[in-house]
Amino acid sequence: MSINFFFLLLVGLLIGMYGYFNPDYSALDDNKETPQIELSHFTLYEISQKGIDHILQGSEGKKFESYYVITSAKFSDNTKNLFQSVRSDNADYRNDILKLNGNVRYVREDGLEFRSNEGTYNSKESLIKTQGTFVITQNANRIDGTTLHYNTAQDTVSANRVIGVYQLK
C-alpha cells in the first residue's frame, strides 16, 4: 500500500465523517416566536380609577409581542352592567379578541350560562360567537343549537337549529 493511497483513504474518511456528522439546522429554521414572558399559575388584574376592570387567570401563560397564549384560561369582565366570565382549556388573546378552545363556559352574574367546545369573545364589541354546538341555560330554561352569536351588551342572541325548553311562571 502506498502512502498516497493511505492519505486518499484518510481524506475520504474525513469527508464522509463530516457529511455524516454535519449539524442539522432545520429545527432552527422554523421561525417560531420566543415568548417574552412565561407565567405559571397566574392572575393578572387590569385596574382603572373605577376599580378592577378585567381579570385574566391561567395555569400557564405565554406573552408574545402582540398576543397571549393561555392554558386553563379564565377571563373576567367587570366593565359591563353584569359581572361576566369566560373560561376554557386553551385561549389565544389578540387585539381584544379571545379565541377559546375546549370546554368553553360563559357565566354571567344573573345566572345565564352557556357552554360549547369552542368560541370567540370580542370584549370591545361584547360579542360571543361559536360555530359548533352550544347550550344556554338560565334558571330552568335551556336552549340548544349551533352557530351562536350572542351580544352581551344588548342581550341579543341569534343561532341555528335551536331547540328550547322554557319554563313559564
Side-chain angles (χ1 to χ4, degrees), residues 13-148:
L13 182 65
L14 289 174
I15 290 173
M17 286 175 50
Y18 176 77
Y20 184 76
F21 293 110
N22 192 16
D24 182 18
Y25 296 108
S26 64
L28 299 175
D29 294 336
D30 289 342
N31 292 333
K32 290 190 175 184
E33 286 186 86
T34 304
Q36 295 175 340
I37 299 173
E38 291 188 41
L39 301 170
S40 295
H41 304 288
F42 67 93
T43 302
L44 299 173
Y45 298 95
E46 184 180 315
I47 301 172
S48 70
Q49 292 175 340
K50 296 177 186 176
I52 297 174
D53 288 341
H54 299 102
I55 303 169
L56 180 60
Q57 298 172 305
S59 63
E60 181 180 308
K62 295 178 182 179
K63 182 194 182 303
F64 296 91
E65 189 171 330
S66 61
Y67 65 97
Y68 298 87
V69 175
I70 306 143
T71 56
S72 298
K74 181 180 179 186
F75 180 77
S76 301
D77 188 352
N78 197 28
T79 61
K80 312 293 186 227
N81 291 341
L82 296 170
F83 183 79
Q84 56 193 0
S85 66
V86 177
R87 66 175 63 206
S88 72
D89 292 342
N90 299 297
D92 185 311
Y93 186 54
R94 301 173 196 238
N95 303 326
D96 295 317
I97 297 176
L98 193 62
K99 291 183 182 178
L100 308 160
N101 190 8
N103 297 317
V104 177
R105 184 175 177 210
Y106 169 83
V107 178
R108 198 169 66 185
E109 188 176 24
D110 64 353
L112 179 82
E113 184 176 318
F114 113 81
R115 293 181 303 275
S116 180
N117 196 39
E118 56 80 32
T120 59
Y121 175 61
N122 187 328
S123 61
K124 279 191 175 180
E125 296 178 10
S126 302
L127 187 63
I128 298 174
K129 294 181 184 179
T130 182
Q131 295 300 316
T133 59
F134 69 88
V135 176
I136 296 177
T137 56
Q138 186 173 24
N139 303 325
N141 305 318
R142 178 185 170 112
I143 298 172
D144 294 84
T146 60
T147 315
L148 172 73

Side-chain angles (χ1 to χ4, degrees), residues 108 112 125-128 136 148-159:
R108 198 169 66 185
L112 179 82
E125 296 178 10
S126 302
L127 187 63
I128 298 174
I136 296 177
L148 172 73
H149 293 266
Y150 175 51
N151 189 319
T152 61
Q154 298 172 357
D155 205 21
T156 57
V157 177
S158 70

